[in-house]
Amino acid sequence: MRAGDREAFAELYESCAQAVYRHALRLTGDWSVAEDIMADTFLAAWQGRGRLEQGRGSALPWLLGIATHKCENARRRLRRRLVFLTRQPPPVHVADFSAEAASRLDDQDRLRAVSAAFGQLRRQEREVLSLRVWCGLDYEQTADALGIPVGTVRSRLSRARRRLARIADQAERAKRPRRNLEPARAHGEVRNTAAIAALPMREETP
């Protein structure tokens, strides 16, 4: 690929595109933005292929690092756009098509719960959590993707786990009725979908 072999780059795209897209979707929460970021990531990878280090075990951390920076740029553009829109007259009401888009998922409730909890984390925590837990990178690869020390990855991941578990517990308590008319739960049972999503982060040891 470094030599400009398009077939090699196509193989890289086929093997890594979905991972890059899912990472961008987790960080942005927007289908269309995630698709744009995936495309921009591979365009930047092709243009900067000469910077890809030889001897890498995998190019995925490099791609995810590019995608992470592009997600942050997208967040900044969105913030500037929102500031601009607050100064404009109220827009004409447009029908909400988010439910139709979300129908592509098998479990909409779980996605909403996880997205709500994930969105309450700090940006740096979301990045580390997505790369380390959901993208499956190890600590060194995550540090490489973000350009930070391994120790910083560990500390951010630890904070993200604690915060996500706390958010999930708060959400579960908020859903409890004032009078519990249901049978008592078995020991260790977890019903809240965000709490279920937090379990891998709770149980994994660095």
Side-chain angles (χ1 to χ4, degrees):
M1 193 185 81
R2 286 169 52 90
D5 188 332
R6 294 182 180 273
E7 291 185 2
F9 187 76
E11 292 179 6
L12 178 68
Y13 179 87
E14 290 295 330
S15 63
C16 298
Q18 284 301 311
V20 172
Y21 170 75
R22 288 192 293 266
H23 177 60
L25 178 59
R26 281 190 289 268
L27 294 187
T28 63
D30 188 292
W31 298 99
S32 61
V33 173
E35 291 174 352
D36 290 342
I37 287 174
M38 181 185 70
D40 289 345
T41 295
F42 280 94
L43 176 60
W46 174 254
Q47 293 173 341
R49 61 189 181 277
R51 294 192 296 272
L52 180 60
E53 298 176 4
Q54 292 182 335
R56 276 179 175 264
S58 170
L60 182 59
W62 178 60
L63 291 171
L64 293 174
I66 296 173
T68 300
H69 290 300
K70 291 191 174 296
C71 287
E72 173 60 12
N73 291 338
R75 187 189 66 83
R76 290 172 179 168
R77 289 195 299 269
L78 176 60
R79 184 171 57 190
R80 290 195 295 267
R81 190 179 306 121
L82 291 176
V83 171
F84 171 77
L85 291 176
T86 57
R87 301 170 182 171
Q88 307 305 309
V92 178
H93 175 72
V94 178
D96 184 6
F97 296 100
S98 59
E100 180 180 350
S103 64
R104 290 181 288 175
L105 296 173
D106 295 331
D107 192 345
Q108 299 179 29
D109 291 338
R110 184 173 185 273
L111 176 66
R112 283 193 292 266
V114 173
S115 297
F118 193 66
Q120 295 182 54
L121 301 178
R122 295 186 177 92
R123 174 180 59 82
Q124 294 89 345
E125 295 169 346
R126 294 197 303 271
E127 293 172 352
V128 170
L129 195 63
S130 178
L131 292 170
R132 176 69 183 92
V133 178
W134 285 308
C135 293
L137 302 188
D138 59 27
Y139 288 100
E140 289 75 14
Q141 290 173 326
T142 302
D144 184 25
L146 295 175
I148 59 178
V150 173
T152 303
V153 172
R154 293 182 182 275
S155 60
R156 289 182 183 179
L157 183 61
S158 178
R159 289 196 301 270
R161 288 170 176 162
R162 292 195 301 268
R163 187 184 297 271
L164 186 59
R166 185 167 61 252
I167 292 170
D169 290 339
Q170 291 172 350
E172 184 179 8
R173 286 196 298 270
K175 289 185 177 181
R176 291 176 184 171
R178 293 186 178 182
R179 295 181 61 188
N180 188 4
L181 302 179
E182 299 180 2
R185 286 180 290 171
H187 178 69
E189 180 184 355
V190 180
R191 288 184 296 186
N192 181 267
T193 52
I196 292 174
L199 286 177
M201 278 65 79
R202 292 175 176 173
E203 296 172 354
E204 181 185 350
T205 56

